[in-house]
Amino acid sequence: MNLDELRNEVEQGAVDTVLLVMTDMQGRLMGKRLHAPFFVSDIAAHGAEGCYYLLTVDIDMTPVQGFEMASWDSGYGDFVFKPDMATLRRLPWLPGTVLVVADLEWQDGRPVAPSPRQILRRQLERLAERGWTANIGSELEFMLFRDSYDQARGKRYHDLTPANPYTSTTRSSARRSSRTC
């Protein structure tokens, strides 16, 4: 999907929401849920602001100290979520919704070097300088537990009840290693 196709689908009412996301330091998508007409008219060309906080938190969204870019002492400002329109795609599990990944930029347009996409981009450039390319095979693991979010939090994410026997018998070492999550 490109911006013109999105514009047409927004005008027809087929798309009403745009998720503008960045990858945080834990690999999660974080960002903004935007009204699609507003995205098309304003955000697609100029980007949207988001807080440095998103790159300086742990898995529980608690700010971690020691980052040069932001802290409780120096403050948390905003960078720009600049949409990479090459990543624009429909989300089949959310009707009327598309997703676009953003590159993070400082207010002056410079890339936010410690952002995951910039780190990856730099690594790919380093490979290219040597005449190499990267090929990966990604494996997505999904583990389902019977505990509710509140129950899991109450157990501090320890000793959760697997939804099926496969998880409990063959993934016991994975469960043990994920207890700090």
Side-chain angles (χ1 to χ4, degrees):
M1 171 179 270
N2 62 38
L3 184 57
D4 288 333
E5 291 169 328
L6 174 61
R7 189 174 286 114
N8 288 336
E9 293 208 18
V10 169
E11 288 172 6
Q12 294 170 7
V15 172
D16 60 14
T17 304
V18 175
L19 302 181
L20 178 61
V21 301
M22 47 82 70
T23 306
D24 75 358
M25 298 312 230
Q26 285 74 35
R28 301 173 297 190
L29 296 181
M30 296 288 182
K32 298 178 177 268
R33 179 179 297 270
L34 301 163
H35 190 231
F38 177 64
F39 177 86
V40 169
S41 67
D42 290 64
I43 303 299
H46 306 291
E49 292 183 343
C51 186
Y52 304 169
Y53 168 89
L54 293 171
L55 290 180
T56 63
V57 295
D58 64 16
I59 193 80
D60 293 319
M61 299 299 288
T62 303
V64 176
Q65 295 305 299
F67 287 98
E68 188 176 308
M69 80 166 61
S71 70
W72 288 121
D73 294 331
S74 63
Y76 293 93
D78 284 341
F79 41 55
V80 176
F81 279 63
K82 186 72 174 179
D84 175 355
M85 299 309 285
T87 67
L88 182 63
R89 59 196 15 69
R90 287 177 189 82
L91 295 180
W93 61 90
L94 289 174
T97 304
V98 298
L99 176 135
V100 63
V101 178
D103 284 311
L104 300 180
E105 297 179 350
W106 298 114
Q107 296 291 337
D108 65 6
R110 290 177 301 123
V112 176
S115 67
R117 285 193 97 205
Q118 287 302 323
I119 292 169
L120 176 60
R121 189 169 282 124
R122 178 62 189 130
Q123 294 304 314
L124 293 173
E125 289 168 359
R126 291 179 65 201
L127 287 172
E129 289 167 5
R130 291 161 176 80
W132 299 343
T133 59
N135 296 304
I136 67 157
S138 177
E139 178 183 347
L140 176 64
E141 290 197 23
F142 180 82
M143 296 174 71
L144 184 63
F145 297 96
R146 295 196 182 280
D147 307 80
S148 71
Y149 291 120
D150 289 338
Q151 290 168 329
R153 189 179 318 105
K155 292 180 174 183
R156 297 181 46 85
Y157 307 98
H158 291 208
D159 302 316
L160 303 179
T161 305
N164 62 55
Y166 172 79
T167 302
S168 63
T169 58
T170 61
R171 292 297 190 185
S172 59
S173 62
R175 274 200 343 269
R176 281 193 299 276
S177 67
S178 68
R179 287 184 176 170
T180 59
C181 295

